[in-house]
Amino acid sequence: MHTVYRAENLFDAHLVKDALEAGGIPAFIAGEYLTGAVGQLPAMNYIEVRVPESSLALASGIVAEVEAQLSEARLAIDEIGDLPDGPLLMPC
């Protein structure tokens, strides 16, 4: 198994894994359960998405697409700025 993505968090790792599996590539999240070991601290560089060597070429394209979408989403969130306090308040 080869690492194709190092995730900042479990959400990102699962998004990449799901995209790979939708593309017919078996994927595995390594370090998923290590996040509990660090408690409230951010789990940086513990979570990796891995695929078989035979799928590396195809996987890299899918990972690049997901990374681009995640980057766009983060930029959009940054543009919105601070939201008012409230459990479900979202700008329309």
Side-chain angles (χ1 to χ4, degrees), residues 29-76:
I29 298 177
E32 181 171 13
Y33 300 109
L34 291 176
T35 57
V38 295
Q40 297 296 320
L41 300 173
M44 302 300 283
N45 294 322
Y46 292 123
I47 307 166
E48 300 175 341
V49 179
R50 297 180 181 174
V51 299
E53 185 173 353
S54 60
S55 302
L56 277 174
L58 183 57
S60 62
I62 293 172
V63 170
E65 289 178 27
V66 175
E67 284 181 317
Q69 292 172 352
L70 287 171
S71 179
E72 285 180 28
R74 288 185 179 112
L75 285 174

Side-chain angles (χ1 to χ4, degrees), residues 77-89:
I77 290 170
D78 288 343
E79 288 177 7
I80 293 172
D82 291 333
L83 297 174
D85 291 336
L88 300 174
L89 294 177

